[in-house]
Amino acid sequence: MQNPMSLSANFAELRPDHLHSGVDFRTGGKEGEPVYAVARGYIARIVVRANGYGNALYVAHPNQTTSVYAHLQQFTPRVKEWVLAQHYAKQSFALDLALSPLDFPVEQGELLGYSGNSGRSFGPHLHFELRDNAERPTNVIRRGVYAIEDYLPPQANTLMVYAFDTIQGSAIAAKRKELPLRQHAGRLSLAVGDTVGVEGATFFGLDMRDRMSGSSNTFGVSSCAMRLNDSLIFAYDMDKFSFDETRYCNAMLDFTERQRSNRSIVRLYVAPNNRLSIYRSGLRQGVVSLPPGKVAKVGIVLTDDAGNQSQLTFWVRSKKTARQLPKTGRQKVVPYLTSSFHVHGGFHVSIPAGALYEPELFEAQDLGKFNGSVSPVFRVKQPATPPHRAVTISLEATVPQDLCEKAVVVHMDKSGHKEALATSPRPPYFTASCRKWGYFFVGIDTTPPQITPVDFACDERLSSGQRHLTLRVKDNLNELASYAGYVDNSWALFEYDEKSNLMRYAIDDSRVVTGRWHSISFFATDVAGNKGVFSCSAYF
């Protein structure tokens, strides 16, 4: 590993639908760096996946903690050999194996494997976690397990001011204004003036981020505290969290602003259904509410993992009480405590209780049919924040009887990326569950996954010294339901890299006789049941 150690991501950074549960150590932009056990224990779990952590080891320690080493290129030879036998015994690339203390005991500093880029990793690095006795990931930098050189304070360029509007009897958070900030050393200030006018109940947001000495990356801010006239009204501390709560991180961000400008604004506010344990309890959840004409001081302190701080101080003056807005024709307030059902033409949305973090407006748009859709394309314009629990989407579409089993509800994001959802056809309605908002329509998927060789040609000899065969397996809607590869009609291990759509078979001398012709076959099925088939022969 690189010395001195350097990070490319820190603990509890805000990621899509989760908090980053560890730290990412740089490996010099390359794979194959040795990875060692941080303490004595035993390998308690081994996971192999095409996404997520990729190749990962979990080491249990005598003090009831667990260290995790993820995105590995490969395990040590003895572990690799045992895992290979499990692949063939289960005839599956994906594995999640529980082990006993006697299987693979390890000593502190013992080699575990080599760093890599497996799973959902977009550059060589080592993802490392240290979990407590309740399997909660902890902040190893804050706790001093590793020391990272850092003398730079957190940064912020923008203060967002939000007011609560009372709409249809519910308090709805709506963006009010954006104020630029200036920063000098560890001091932040408003770029213009020192006072913010507010209307009724208000909260704030910051485009906060951190830098580390010697790194061009941006990092999450470890803790934040806000005071009103020196009374603490909001605080979070990224020390530890549980995996059960990690998706609540979506309530921390202003997704409307993210859609508009792709900026990450952290809300200094605890929504009523935000159950993250990182927040200090017993406070006012970040809400500033002053009588008309009153003035108060707001102080915000941002702290990074190394203890560097930035401080923002300004004044707020209350102008008047919150406005009562009239009910609009297309928008409806969605409660967060109870379930609700919404109909927009042939588009039906069922939102379960607890799917939202706070009351929100619901608005859907009928955009008409697009090329490839057999129903109108509907866009959920509001809410912008992804639902915490899966919502049920039903679309009405006219589909020929013989194609009903090939009809799928398709989710599309603003970039045009399409994903087929597992669909229940009950003509004329087609129903699916989803934990995203965006665009939805019914499409007909009769296209099987496409399977093509990458580094070999059918019915030819492999290049001299070549010890692997690679296939590219790609579906038009980017979702494989199942796959399997065979050599000489026997199941063979094809290692799947989901991000590149590649399946790679390493020639195994213990299972095939080399120096002759072999049959290669591969099958892949998508969520609509379309089956792609590839077969050929190769000499190796």
Side-chain angles (χ1 to χ4, degrees):
M1 296 294 293
Q2 190 173 340
N3 190 19
M5 289 182 292
S6 174
L7 299 185
S8 58
N10 69 333
F11 180 77
E13 284 184 1
L14 292 170
R15 301 286 179 84
D17 303 327
H18 70 284
L19 293 168
H20 188 227
S21 54
V23 293
D24 290 347
F25 287 108
R26 295 179 184 275
T27 57
K30 59 184 179 181
E31 300 184 41
E33 291 293 294
V35 174
Y36 304 99
V38 295
R40 180 173 62 88
Y42 69 95
I43 299 175
R45 183 185 178 197
I46 299 175
V47 173
V48 178
R49 295 181 61 189
N51 49 28
Y53 284 0
N55 301 325
L57 291 177
Y58 298 69
V59 176
H61 303 290
N63 64 355
Q64 306 303 309
T65 63
T66 301
S67 56
V68 183
Y69 314 78
H71 305 305
L72 299 177
Q73 180 193 63
Q74 57 182 307
F75 309 125
T76 55
R78 65 173 184 144
V79 175
K80 181 179 179 180
E81 182 179 351
W82 183 82
V83 171
L84 181 63
Q86 301 304 307
H87 283 299
Y88 277 90
K90 300 177 183 298
Q91 294 194 356
S92 173
F93 166 67
L95 296 175
D96 191 341
L97 307 168
L99 291 81
S100 78
L102 300 179
D103 291 323
F104 292 106
V106 298
E107 295 296 325
Q108 182 176 9
E110 183 174 337
L111 182 68
L112 295 175
Y114 299 89
S115 66
N117 191 32
S118 60
R120 192 166 179 80
S121 166
F122 297 98
H125 71 281
L126 172 67
H127 174 94
F128 173 77
E129 296 176 17
L130 191 61
R131 302 181 182 180
D132 67 11
N133 59 0
E135 281 294 308
R136 293 174 297 193
T138 59
N139 191 334
V140 295
I141 305 301
R142 281 273 302 278
R143 295 183 175 211
V145 178
Y146 289 103
I148 302 295
E149 184 176 347
D150 179 23
Y151 304 103
L152 301 177
Q155 303 174 352
N157 292 327
T158 303
L159 174 72
M160 302 291 281
V161 184
Y162 303 85
F164 285 102
D165 286 330
T166 303
I167 305 176
Q168 301 172 30
S170 296
I172 303 295
K175 192 180 83 169
R176 298 294 294 157
K177 56 189 167 186
E178 174 179 337
L179 301 175
L181 299 175
R182 292 180 299 195
Q183 181 157 347
H184 178 70
R187 292 289 178 181
L188 293 163
S189 61
L190 299 176
V192 178
D194 62 0
T195 303
V196 177
V198 298
E199 301 181 22
T202 301
F203 67 91
F204 302 100
L206 286 171
D207 60 341
M208 64 175 75
R209 63 203 177 282
D210 190 36
R211 297 280 190 180
M212 291 187 184
S213 302
S215 174
S216 60
N217 291 60
T218 58
F219 301 88
V221 175
S222 179
S223 67
C224 174
M226 181 168 63
R227 286 175 165 78
L228 183 68
N229 287 336
D230 299 323
S231 294
L232 190 66
I233 64 168
F234 171 89
Y236 78 72
D237 188 25
M238 298 295 194
D239 181 60
K240 63 183 175 182
F241 60 86
S242 72
F243 288 102
D244 289 341
E245 63 180 299
T246 186
R247 189 179 172 89
Y248 285 104
C249 73
N250 285 339
M252 297 181 69
L253 290 174
D254 179 350
F255 274 87
T256 299
E257 185 61 28
R258 172 170 279 191
Q259 288 182 350
R260 188 184 72 85
S261 65
N262 204 34
R263 289 186 300 171
S264 293
I265 305 293
V266 179
R267 306 195 305 169
L268 310 188
Y269 164 66
V270 187
N273 192 34
N274 181 356
R275 302 182 184 179
L276 275 174
S277 60
I278 63 171
Y279 295 108
R280 188 86 57 88
S281 61
L283 304 180
R284 293 167 55 178
Q285 301 188 347
V287 177
V288 174
S289 184
L290 301 175
K294 291 294 183 180
V295 177
K297 183 177 72 171
V298 174
I300 301 171
V301 178
L302 308 178
T303 308
D304 66 16
D305 287 328
N308 302 302
Q309 290 188 340
S310 291
Q311 299 183 36
L312 169 63
T313 302
F314 58 92
W315 299 84
V316 291
R317 182 187 298 275
S318 180
K319 294 180 180 180
K320 56 183 180 180
T321 57
R323 299 172 297 159
Q324 174 75 39
L325 296 187
K327 180 177 179 179
T328 63
R330 293 185 301 172
Q331 296 176 322
K332 179 181 178 182
V333 173
V334 186
Y336 68 93
L337 286 175
T338 58
S339 60
S340 60
F341 187 71
H342 309 270
V343 179
H344 189 92
F347 181 55
H348 298 177
V349 181
S350 179
I351 303 176
L356 304 182
Y357 303 111
E358 58 203 307
E360 296 205 50
L361 295 174
F362 184 88
E363 181 180 354
Q365 296 174 308
D366 183 341
L367 303 178
K369 289 186 178 181
F370 288 6
N371 184 30
S373 70
V374 294
S375 74
V377 177
F378 291 91
R379 176 195 177 197
V380 176
K381 187 176 180 181
Q382 297 182 86
T385 305
H388 191 80
R389 298 177 58 191
V391 300
T392 302
I393 305 293
S394 291
L395 293 115
E396 185 177 8
T398 301
V399 178
Q401 184 66 33
D402 59 334
L403 291 177
C404 280
E405 293 300 320
K406 300 296 183 183
V408 290
V409 175
V410 178
H411 171 266
M412 184 173 70
D413 62 22
K414 65 178 183 180
S415 69
H417 173 80
K418 300 182 182 70
E419 173 191 7
L421 306 177
T423 302
S424 298
R426 294 184 179 178
Y429 287 97
F430 298 83
T431 302
S433 294
C434 192
R435 295 176 81 179
K436 303 175 184 177
W437 299 119
Y439 302 80
F440 299 92
F441 63 91
V442 177
I444 304 296
D445 183 12
T446 59
T447 304
Q450 301 300 302
I451 308 170
T452 55
V454 174
D455 53 7
F456 69 100
C458 288
D459 305 322
E460 293 188 11
R461 295 172 178 264
L462 297 190
S463 301
S464 177
Q466 183 173 338
R467 301 295 298 166
H468 56 266
L469 301 93
T470 307
L471 299 171
R472 176 167 281 108
V473 183
K474 188 171 177 59
D475 188 60
N476 62 318
L477 290 174
N478 300 298
E479 187 70 27
L480 295 182
S482 63
Y483 58 88
Y486 299 84
V487 175
D488 298 331
N489 298 317
S490 294
W491 187 88
L493 174 61
F494 280 78
E495 298 182 16
Y496 183 20
D497 183 2
E498 187 178 81
K499 58 182 176 287
S500 61
N501 301 307
L502 295 179
M503 303 278 183
R504 190 172 187 267
Y505 167 70
I507 296 171
D508 188 344
D509 292 330
S510 67
R511 290 178 171 82
V512 298
V513 178
T514 57
R516 68 178 184 84
W517 289 96
H518 299 272
S519 65
I520 312 297
S521 54
F522 196 92
F523 307 91
T525 305
D526 63 20
V527 296
N530 302 300
K531 188 174 184 178
V533 178
F534 171 85
S535 62
C536 77
S537 61
Y539 187 94
F540 55 85

